[in-house]
Amino acid sequence: MTVSRWQLAGKYRAFLAVLAMLAVLLLAGCLPIPNVPVELDVAPSVYLVPPGEVEPDYFEVAGVNVTSNPGEYDRSGVLRYRVGDVPSRMILVLMPGIFGGAANFDIIARELVASTRGLEVWSVDRRCNLLEDRSGMIRALEEEDPEVALHYYLTSAGEERGFQPLPEEEAAYLRNWGLDVHLGDLHRIVLEAREEAPVVVLGGHSLGASIVTIYASREFEGGHGQEFVDGLLLIDGFLGRTGGFGREDEGIAFGPIRLAPSVAELEAGGGPPYSDSIISPEYQIEREIAAIYALLDPDGRAPAELSDFPTQNRALVGIRNDEEYAMTPVFGASLGEAVDARFAGNLGAFLLAGREGARSRTVTGVAHDAEMVRWSQGEPDPEPTNLDDFIRMWTLPQSNPSEWYFPLRLGLDMTLLPPTLADTPGYLPSYEVTLPTLLIGASRGLVPDFDAVRSYVNARYGSPVSVSILPGFTHLDVVTARDNPAVGIIRRWLELWTRVL
């Protein structure tokens, strides 16, 4: 058969095309493959009502019975956010992290409810929160006199008419307030929410994110936790990061310093029933008193009982809570900066946080020729949390953002479970939890990038898990920032996965 020159030319062109393709495939191994970055760009929230006008109310829910403690303590609290009489189509139940109370979600809860029609937010006070004597705080707010709180909790503490700290020997029952008790309490809150709305989503921050993840796997009467809720929201935490470490029951130590006993030792009466170390009840109480001074007398000078040098009341709250001056920057909020102040380095932050802690400082006094240390909010971009919002969060009459008496048993139990929950009696393994899940991390928090999430996503293989990382946010900013981009992410995810909003 005769082959025309046109056919030969066609075969030659095809041969050249094959050679070119082979060359591209060979070069692909040594040439960069395009990877065009797309930054997180969330549209600002549109509020149906101003977030500041969303006023919460408070109610209690009966918990599981623990025979070792007085019966009145078998309950949890709920700080409920909603807009007027708008019918609720969905309830988002939020569990705070370690040392946290219901008011920890005050800022993000207001923004979520104010921008999402038909949504209620229920923020949880664990049973230990109800042991707190906040009567002095409430009287100070009612009388608009912060000295009432200062006198009750500090100058008259232990006296007949002053604050009576919870003695460890009278709180032995807290040794039994472990994970099982708290999961049982949470289940009752979920059941209560299901009575009031067709859709219930369960979320948590930090340690709370691990608690709600464990709840989804836990077996209850009538099914596992995932059968009672419609989705999971994990905020800067997950199993393997803020709980579920698969540790042996050997207690916790930092070198020669014993920080916590084992569960067995705790049950036998060894060690304190609640945390009384660095994050002590006294520390949390002082933070709350300082916030009341900042609310009622923002530009006044902080009392000597709270500050060793002249400090504006607002500035004292900033110094105690801002990430730049904290011992552990990851757990602070980006609130602004101290001005008219003298500074020193922060060795503790550097040792605990490495490069992130290298920029931390310690306020050591008043600058030369200044009257007192003051506070500047700074620009919203590097300082996303507004100090006035933060002060309001710490001065709610119904609840507070802290947990004065965090039960060691809960913390220890959280460390013992394996991160996958595999081969754990009473629990589904993580891969069998199929709930749609949204995980929001903070680039300066505990979940700083997508690589940090890999283990959790691997444990949930095949499940619908969405991940977003908020750039420049700390672990606390992710729930306290004003005009929080997390609100838009959460709202869109709820709309896509629940179809009721």
Side-chain angles (χ1 to χ4, degrees):
M1 183 177 66
T2 303
V3 179
S4 70
R5 63 189 182 92
W6 298 108
Q7 289 174 310
L8 286 173
K11 291 183 177 180
Y12 180 67
R13 286 195 298 269
F15 177 69
L16 290 178
V18 171
L19 286 179
M21 186 179 298
L22 288 172
V24 170
L25 292 174
L26 289 172
L27 290 172
C30 57
L31 292 178
I33 299 174
N35 182 19
V36 181
V38 176
E39 302 298 330
L40 182 64
D41 185 14
V42 182
S45 294
V46 176
Y47 298 116
L48 307 173
V49 298
E53 294 182 6
V54 178
E55 290 299 332
D57 60 274
Y58 195 85
F59 65 95
E60 294 180 357
V61 177
V64 298
N65 178 253
V66 180
T67 57
S68 61
N69 62 252
E72 67 266 24
Y73 297 147
D74 289 333
R75 55 199 170 95
S76 301
V78 173
L79 192 58
R80 174 170 50 191
Y81 296 82
R82 56 183 174 177
V83 175
D85 298 325
V86 177
S88 297
R89 290 179 285 179
M90 179 191 300
I91 293 175
L92 172 59
V93 178
L94 293 176
M95 174 68 70
I98 189 171
F99 303 116
N104 210 48
F105 293 109
D106 181 68
I107 298 170
I108 192 171
R110 291 175 189 267
E111 293 192 0
L112 280 167
V113 169
S115 62
T116 312
R117 189 178 302 277
L119 175 67
E120 281 191 29
V121 173
W122 289 14
S123 184
V124 176
D125 260 344
R126 292 186 286 265
R127 57 172 55 208
C128 264
N129 292 99
L130 305 185
L131 299 177
E132 300 167 6
D133 173 14
R134 296 189 67 242
S135 61
M137 309 293 185
I138 295 170
R139 288 203 311 273
L141 293 170
E142 291 175 344
E143 299 176 21
E144 298 185 353
D145 183 0
E147 289 191 10
V148 171
L150 183 75
H151 179 73
Y152 182 73
Y153 292 102
L154 298 186
T155 59
S156 297
E159 298 179 3
E160 183 179 354
R161 295 187 178 182
F163 171 66
Q164 306 295 326
L166 180 64
E168 290 184 3
E169 62 273 12
E170 295 181 14
Y173 51 84
L174 267 67
R175 293 187 171 93
N176 298 317
W177 288 9
L179 181 60
D180 285 346
V181 170
H182 286 84
L183 291 177
D185 289 348
L186 177 57
H187 186 54
R188 282 154 178 76
I189 294 173
V190 168
L191 294 179
E192 185 90 4
R194 293 220 72 92
E195 293 290 324
E196 299 198 22
V199 174
V200 176
V201 174
L202 186 57
H205 175 237
S206 192
L207 179 85
S210 289
I211 291 176
V212 303
T213 307
I214 295 169
Y215 171 87
S217 291
R218 176 63 190 272
E219 184 177 3
F220 297 96
E221 183 179 353
H224 292 88
Q226 69 169 345
E227 298 172 53
F228 297 92
V229 295
D230 300 282
L232 290 177
L233 168 62
L234 312 181
I235 304 176
D236 212 39
F238 55 84
L239 276 178
R241 185 61 170 158
T242 54
F245 305 143
R247 292 179 58 256
E248 296 294 328
D249 186 22
E250 298 173 343
I252 301 173
F254 184 74
I257 303 174
R258 184 80 162 173
L259 299 178
S262 66
V263 171
E265 291 169 337
L266 193 69
E267 289 180 336
Y274 58 83
S275 176
D276 194 18
S277 53
I278 297 175
I279 308 296
S280 64
E282 292 76 17
Y283 172 79
Q284 301 282 39
I285 288 169
E286 287 187 8
R287 293 173 77 190
E288 202 164 333
I289 296 172
I292 292 176
Y293 270 92
L295 177 75
L296 299 176
D297 186 16
D299 296 319
R301 177 173 169 172
E305 292 88 344
L306 299 178
S307 179
D308 296 330
F309 45 84
T311 309
Q312 179 193 49
N313 285 319
R314 293 181 79 253
L316 182 60
V317 174
I319 292 168
R320 282 177 172 261
N321 296 281
D322 187 81
E323 45 81 29
E324 187 175 353
Y325 313 111
M327 180 71 76
T328 51
V330 67
F331 295 118
S334 304
L335 294 162
E337 61 180 350
V339 295
D340 296 333
R342 286 188 290 110
F343 301 98
N346 190 337
L347 179 61
F350 178 72
L351 293 175
L352 292 173
R355 181 186 302 176
E356 182 65 31
R359 63 181 288 273
S360 296
R361 299 185 290 174
T362 302
V363 179
T364 59
V366 183
H368 180 64
D369 293 334
E371 177 187 356
M372 69 174 76
V373 177
R374 300 183 186 277
W375 194 258
S376 172
Q377 175 65 48
E379 295 299 321
D381 187 23
E383 309 289 355
T385 297
N386 181 275
L387 180 60
D388 293 326
D389 294 342
F390 194 86
I391 290 169
R392 180 190 60 190
M393 179 183 82
W394 272 91
T395 53
L396 295 181
Q398 303 97 328
S399 182
N400 57 16
S402 65
E403 187 175 25
W404 298 1
Y405 308 110
F406 177 76
L408 280 180
R409 176 63 183 274
L410 173 60
L412 292 173
D413 285 352
M414 292 289 293
T415 69
L416 301 181
L417 289 176
T420 64
L421 299 177
D423 302 319
T424 305
Y427 293 90
L428 289 174
S430 295
Y431 72 86
E432 290 191 27
V433 175
T434 57
L435 288 171
T437 302
L438 172 62
L439 198 160
I440 299 179
S443 70
R444 298 172 62 207
L446 298 182
V447 187
D449 50 42
F450 290 97
D451 188 59
V453 187
R454 181 183 301 146
S455 293
Y456 178 72
V457 174
N458 286 345
R460 293 281 310 279
Y461 63 84
S463 295
V465 179
S466 179
V467 180
S468 293
I469 308 294
L470 301 186
F473 277 39
T474 68
H475 181 64
L476 195 53
D477 287 331
V478 75
V479 293
T480 60
R482 175 177 285 190
D483 295 326
N484 194 339
V487 170
I489 296 170
I490 294 169
R491 188 177 64 250
R492 174 169 169 74
W493 177 78
L494 292 175
E495 291 170 348
L496 288 172
W497 283 102
T498 65
R499 306 292 185 184
V500 300
L501 294 178

